[in-house]
Amino acid sequence: MRPVRLEVEGFATFRSRTVLDFDDLDLVAFVGPTGAGKSTIIDAITFALYGSVSRYDDIRAVAPVIHQLANEAKVRFDFELAGQRYTVVRVVRRRGGRTRTADATTGVRTGPGVGADRAASGATTKEARIELLAGPEEPVGPSGNQVLAGSVGELDDTVQDLLGLDFHQFTRTVVLPQGQFARFLTDKPSDRQKLLTRLLDLDIYTKMAKAARESSKVAAHQAEALEAELERQDAIDDERLAELRMEVTTLTGLQQVTTAELAELAGIDDALGPLRDRVREADAERDALEAVEVPDDLGRSEAALVEANEAVAAGTADLVSARTARDDVQAAIAAIGDRSRLVDGLARFERLADARDGLTKARGQLTALRAESDGAEAAVSTARIDVEQARAALSEARRAADAAVWTARLVEGEPCPVCHQTVDEVPEHPHGGDEGDAERAVAEAERQLAAATTALSKLSGTMQATESRVAELEASIAELEAAVGGDDQAVLLEQRAELARLDEQASAALAAVGDAEANLEKLAERRRRLAAVVDGWSERFAGQRDAVSHLKPPPPGRESLRADWIALADWAAERRSQLAAEREDLATRGKDLARRRSELLQRLTDAVEPHGIDPDPVGLASAVAVARSQAEGRVAAAEERRAEQARLRARVDELIAERELNKALGRHLGAGGFEGWLLNEALDNIVARATRWLRDLSGGAYSLVASNREFAVIDHHNADERRDVRTLSGGETFLTSLSLALALADSIAELAPVDAPRLESMFLDEGFGTLDAATLDVVAGAIEDLASSGRMIGIVTHVRDLAERMPARFEVAKTPTGSTVELIEI
């Protein structure tokens, strides 16, 4: 793994976007004052790859990587591995988007303390992915890059598979963060062994040993299973095989015997079939012949039908006679003429007589009304005179009353109020009578006049109606007289009497026809019933004859049904006698065949039952063939089982040998075998290289040794004293750890398998300031030599002299708004 480019934004001390380009750099120093953010660059690389920072107490924490004045931290790391370039991106966002505040000029935070802020706030990973770049120069984006992982879990697994190191192993070999420099030196032997095994890909031997042990177990289990299978199986010996083969021979002979006997049985069945069919036919013929029987009532039914035919003939003659009489009467009625003309003529004579009578009465009434009208007119005239007289008397009475009124007003010597002349003398003027009586007399006279006028008006109306009635009757009489013409009423009356007589005769004739028709219907119905009975006998006869028609009965004589039936019955009796003799012969022949068949079936039963075969002839040949086939199958199965058992025994022997071989191979390839030997060789190689580095760095004062995979230092300036590495001072520990790290880097490159990931970079973050000038010069030379091998080396230091010896350095500075980086190349 070789770094190419690092981009951070909002990460730890780097608030603003900052890019570090490692391309074409073999040896570089990260230099700057304490707290400027040098170690943060190492943290960003490990966080991009593994999502953890080794300097934090909890390597699972992600919130502390976010800058205090930012809502999220973004890290993108591009690296090259095995000739291909990859880019890793992680983005962490603060939950709730809460940021801390700072003064714009001083950058002093005005919120809670750092620890309080980390404890109170949380963060989550917003984005985590790794892509295989389409080309070394192409940027990240949807331009054809292959996305290898798109979530935190996928990214962690992919990085570990690519680099071949987990987070702890990476911080012991590639990135040695501050405070972790001496970890490989002081690790437990087991942890150190795991690291070397992973780095050198020695776990392949562990896998091989495990696979060998698993194969040994599988072979053992298979051998046990096959042995158990052999124990469960019945052994097939020669005697058992001979028994099975003998069974096949026996069944082969039985098959030949049964084939011959079944053929004979089939011949018997072929003979019995027609014989039984003829017996059934003879029995059917006998039953049909026994059904032929002449009915006792057949003669009576035929005689009754003859009588019924004669009665129908007589009834038909009576009906013809009644219809003739009816037709004669109807002809006489028709000869009289149109009945409606006769009726209309007589009706006209009757209406004429009624009209003449009505005219006579109307004329008498008119004469009486005229006399009464004359009296009424006289009464009206008298009443009018009385009214005039009453009205005159009323006028006179009113004038007398007025005079009396004015006379009463006159005064002698005064002017008259009417004529204005002086009244000389008031005359005496008697009273003119009672004015009320006069008014009543007028009213009575007027009432009498009104009554007389009303009576006269009524008489006038009655007279007019009577006169109209007379005129109508006269017109009707004239019309009827014209209509009667030359008809004679007496002749018409005589014709009507004759027609009434003929109507009575016609009714009697119609009744006689009805009675004759009803009688004929009764006689015909009786004949139909008798004919149906005779037809039933005919159908019965036809049925009996059809039932035996195949036996060729004699043809009917057609003289009478009874005679034909008697002839058929006589023939049936004779035929039954012939069938009885034939049936007896058939029975004798059938018994002989049945006895022979029974004996043959018994022989077949005795032959096949010992072999468990059903003796039913139907399917017997097939059953014997199946039994023989099954016996042959048992022989084949026994022979195959013997061969299989032999094969299983040979396979058990092979599995036992395979079990022992894999067991020995697993033992030799185990941690205490070949893998352990390789690990000890690799550790010895690393210790030898580390000793050379340590002698150079310590001026020959120290050597590194290993015993039981535990490290110790030989102090050559103190009588070669063997010292535990945990007793070394800080400077001695630094030199020893650096020597071991440099040796480990060289050894891994040489000892790792060809296809193992190449660790082409190393970052050292440790206190070079603890070294004196001479030692520092030796250390710098060692680092330069290490970089010349093609490996990129990065050191984190605040020692300016050491940094300036490097061909390139990243100057890290601290500002109020965050750290900055500048690349300086010599």
Side-chain angles (χ1 to χ4, degrees):
M1 188 276 293
R2 186 181 184 91
V4 176
R5 184 175 180 274
L6 177 66
E7 177 185 340
V8 294
E9 183 177 1
F11 186 85
T13 62
F14 293 91
R15 181 183 180 187
S16 301
R17 179 176 175 272
T18 303
V19 177
L20 287 81
D21 192 351
F22 298 103
D23 206 9
D24 297 329
L25 296 181
D26 292 327
L27 183 57
V28 64
F30 302 91
V31 64
T34 302
K38 303 183 298 298
S39 297
T40 301
I41 296 173
I42 306 300
D43 295 340
I45 293 174
T46 58
F47 185 79
L49 293 171
Y50 293 97
S52 300
V53 176
S54 62
R55 293 192 296 158
Y56 296 160
D57 293 336
D58 185 359
I59 62 174
R60 297 172 298 175
V62 294
V65 305
I66 305 175
H67 190 279
Q68 296 300 310
L69 301 181
N71 283 328
E72 67 178 21
K74 177 179 179 181
V75 179
R76 172 189 163 182
F77 179 52
D78 297 352
F79 63 91
E80 185 175 324
L81 182 67
Q84 292 182 312
R85 287 195 175 187
Y86 300 84
T87 183
V88 181
V89 177
R90 288 186 193 260
V91 179
V92 179
R93 173 167 292 181
R94 198 187 308 277
R95 288 195 180 97
R98 185 169 67 87
T99 61
R100 301 184 58 81
T101 59
D103 184 87
T105 57
T106 64
V108 177
R109 295 193 299 272
T110 59
V114 176
D117 183 62
R118 288 178 178 173
S121 65
T124 183
T125 300
K126 175 186 175 184
E127 182 179 355
R129 73 176 188 276
I130 181 171
E131 298 179 4
L132 173 63
L133 299 183
E137 303 301 330
E138 293 188 17
V140 173
S143 58
N145 298 337
Q146 180 182 356
V147 178
L148 303 180
S151 65
V152 173
E154 292 176 354
L155 175 56
D156 292 345
D157 293 341
T158 303
V159 167
Q160 187 165 326
D161 291 341
L162 285 173
L163 301 184
L165 300 171
D166 61 20
F167 173 73
H168 298 290
Q169 294 164 348
F170 185 78
T171 56
R172 285 166 171 75
T173 58
V174 178
V175 174
L176 303 179
Q178 188 176 7
Q180 308 295 323
F181 193 66
R183 181 174 294 177
F184 183 71
L185 178 66
T186 59
D187 265 342
K188 295 179 181 179
S190 59
D191 293 337
R192 192 180 297 115
Q193 177 178 339
K194 290 179 182 178
L195 175 60
L196 289 175
T197 299
R198 185 67 179 270
L199 291 175
L200 300 175
D201 201 20
L202 297 181
D203 54 353
I204 187 173
Y205 301 109
T206 302
K207 295 177 182 176
M208 290 173 61
K210 182 178 179 181
R213 289 192 294 271
E214 290 297 327
S215 296
S216 178
K217 291 179 181 178
V218 170
H221 290 322
Q222 290 178 349
E224 291 175 1
L226 292 178
E227 288 176 346
E229 178 64 23
L230 284 171
E231 291 178 358
R232 285 194 298 270
Q233 293 181 3
D234 294 333
I236 305 298
D237 54 16
D238 294 340
E239 183 178 355
R240 175 57 178 161
L241 190 59
E243 291 177 358
L244 294 174
R245 289 171 176 167
M246 179 57 68
E247 183 180 6
V248 172
T249 302
T250 302
L251 288 171
T252 300
L254 179 62
Q255 188 176 19
Q256 296 173 352
V257 172
T258 54
T259 300
E261 292 184 346
L262 285 173
E264 183 180 355
L265 183 64
I268 293 175
D269 289 338
D270 290 342
L272 277 174
L275 186 64
R276 289 168 179 166
D277 293 341
R278 179 54 193 150
V279 168
R280 285 191 293 271
E281 290 175 1
D283 291 340
E285 291 174 4
R286 180 197 59 201
D287 295 339
L289 291 170
E290 288 178 351
V292 177
E293 184 179 5
V294 180
D296 295 337
D297 296 337
L298 178 58
R300 287 191 297 273
S301 297
E302 287 184 322
L305 180 59
V306 171
E307 292 177 0
N309 287 330
E310 293 173 353
V312 167
T316 302
D318 293 342
L319 178 59
V320 170
S321 177
R323 287 175 176 172
T324 301
R326 178 199 62 189
D327 294 342
D328 293 342
V329 173
Q330 289 178 345
I333 293 173
I336 293 175
D338 187 4
R339 182 186 296 269
S340 61
R341 183 192 63 78
L342 177 63
V343 173
D344 292 341
L346 289 173
R348 281 194 293 272
F349 275 110
E350 289 177 359
R351 287 198 300 276
L352 179 61
D354 291 341
R356 287 171 178 170
D357 292 341
L359 180 60
T360 301
K361 291 179 181 178
R363 286 175 177 173
Q365 291 175 352
L366 182 60
T367 300
L369 287 172
R370 286 174 178 170
E372 189 176 354
S373 176
D374 292 341
E377 289 179 349
V380 169
S381 297
T382 302
R384 287 175 177 167
I385 294 172
D386 292 342
V387 169
E388 291 176 354
Q389 291 177 352
R391 289 175 177 171
L394 177 60
S395 297
E396 184 63 25
R398 287 176 176 169
R399 283 194 302 269
D402 290 340
V405 171
W406 290 112
T407 298
R409 293 180 178 178
L410 296 176
V411 177
E412 290 182 0
E414 294 183 357
C416 176
V418 177
C419 63
H420 300 291
Q421 294 182 3
T422 302
V423 177
D424 293 331
E425 180 182 1
V426 176
E428 293 182 359
H429 196 286
H431 192 275
D434 189 354
E435 186 177 354
D437 291 339
E439 291 176 348
R440 285 190 291 274
V442 169
E444 177 60 24
E446 289 178 346
R447 186 186 66 76
Q448 290 293 334
L449 177 60
T453 301
T454 300
L456 179 61
S457 178
K458 289 182 178 179
L459 283 171
S460 296
T462 304
M463 285 177 63
Q464 290 177 358
T466 303
E467 288 173 352
S468 297
R469 174 64 178 162
V470 169
E472 291 175 357
L473 288 172
E474 289 175 349
S476 177
I477 288 170
E479 182 180 354
L480 288 171
E481 287 176 348
V484 169
D487 289 340
D488 188 346
Q489 186 177 12
V491 173
L492 292 176
L493 290 173
E494 183 180 352
Q495 288 177 347
R496 185 172 68 179
E498 179 64 16
L499 186 62
R501 185 181 62 79
L502 290 175
D503 286 342
E504 290 179 359
Q505 290 180 359
S507 297
L510 287 174
V513 169
D515 292 343
E517 288 176 345
N519 182 55
L520 181 61
E521 178 63 26
K522 290 179 181 179
L523 294 173
E525 176 63 24
R526 181 171 181 273
R527 184 181 66 178
R528 282 194 295 272
R529 289 197 302 271
L530 291 171
V533 172
V534 173
D535 289 342
W537 293 124
S538 298
E539 291 178 0
R540 183 174 174 183
F541 170 76
Q544 290 185 4
R545 192 176 188 285
D546 289 344
V548 296
S549 61
H550 60 288
L551 301 179
K552 299 179 180 181
R558 303 297 180 182
E559 294 180 1
S560 71
L561 179 62
R562 186 169 182 276
D564 292 341
W565 213 323
I566 291 173
L568 181 64
D570 294 341
W571 170 82
E574 182 181 357
R575 182 62 178 164
R576 284 200 301 272
S577 298
Q578 296 173 356
L579 285 176
E582 182 183 359
R583 180 69 172 76
E584 184 177 356
D585 179 62
L586 290 173
T588 302
R589 291 165 56 194
K591 288 179 181 179
D592 293 339
L593 289 175
R595 176 180 53 76
R596 289 171 55 196
R597 188 177 188 280
S598 177
E599 293 173 351
L600 188 58
L601 283 176
Q602 186 61 46
R603 288 202 305 271
L604 285 172
T605 300
D606 295 341
V608 301
E609 278 189 344
H611 298 281
I613 299 174
D614 186 358
D616 187 357
V618 179
L620 180 58
S622 176
V624 173
V626 169
R628 176 189 172 185
S629 177
Q630 291 175 346
E632 291 174 343
R634 286 191 290 272
V635 171
E639 293 173 345
E640 183 179 352
R641 191 181 304 170
R642 288 190 72 181
E644 177 65 15
Q645 289 173 353
R647 188 187 64 79
L648 289 178
R649 290 190 184 93
R651 180 57 181 158
V652 168
D653 295 339
E654 292 176 1
L655 289 172
I656 291 174
E658 184 178 345
R659 178 193 65 190
E660 295 303 320
L661 177 61
N662 284 318
K663 184 176 180 182
L665 183 59
R667 185 172 59 255
H668 292 313
L669 290 175
F674 185 65
E675 179 186 335
W677 176 81
L678 285 177
L679 191 60
N680 289 334
E681 286 295 312
L683 189 58
D684 290 343
N685 181 281
I686 291 171
V687 169
R689 288 175 181 270
T691 295
R692 288 196 295 270
W693 281 109
L694 183 56
R695 280 181 176 272
D696 290 341
L697 294 175
S698 64
Y702 302 106
S703 297
L704 185 65
V705 295
S707 177
N708 294 326
R709 298 174 189 170
E710 286 280 5
F711 289 134
V713 173
I714 305 299
D715 189 351
H716 297 295
H717 291 179
N718 192 19
D720 291 339
E721 179 185 4
R722 185 185 184 94
R723 294 173 56 185
D724 189 294
V725 293
R726 295 176 183 82
T727 65
L728 299 177
S729 64
E732 292 170 337
T733 300
F734 176 80
L735 293 177
T736 305
S737 298
L738 179 59
S739 301
L740 190 57
L742 297 175
L744 182 61
D746 289 340
S747 299
I748 292 302
E750 292 182 2
L751 297 177
V754 176
D755 57 349
R758 307 301 295 176
L759 305 179
E760 298 177 288
S761 59
M762 175 180 288
F763 291 86
L764 305 176
D765 184 4
E766 195 53 51
F768 293 97
T770 60
L771 304 177
D772 56 46
T775 305
L776 185 61
D777 183 66
V778 174
V779 169
I783 292 174
E784 291 170 348
D785 291 341
L786 188 61
S788 65
S789 64
R791 184 182 291 106
M792 177 195 167
I793 304 297
I795 63 173
V796 178
T797 182
H798 59 272
V799 178
R800 178 61 58 176
D801 292 341
L802 178 61
E804 291 178 350
R805 288 186 59 170
M806 302 295 109
R809 65 181 182 271
F810 285 106
E811 294 282 353
V812 184
K814 184 177 182 182
T815 69
T817 58
S819 299
T820 61
V821 177
E822 181 182 4
L823 176 62
I824 306 296
E825 293 185 274
I826 300 175

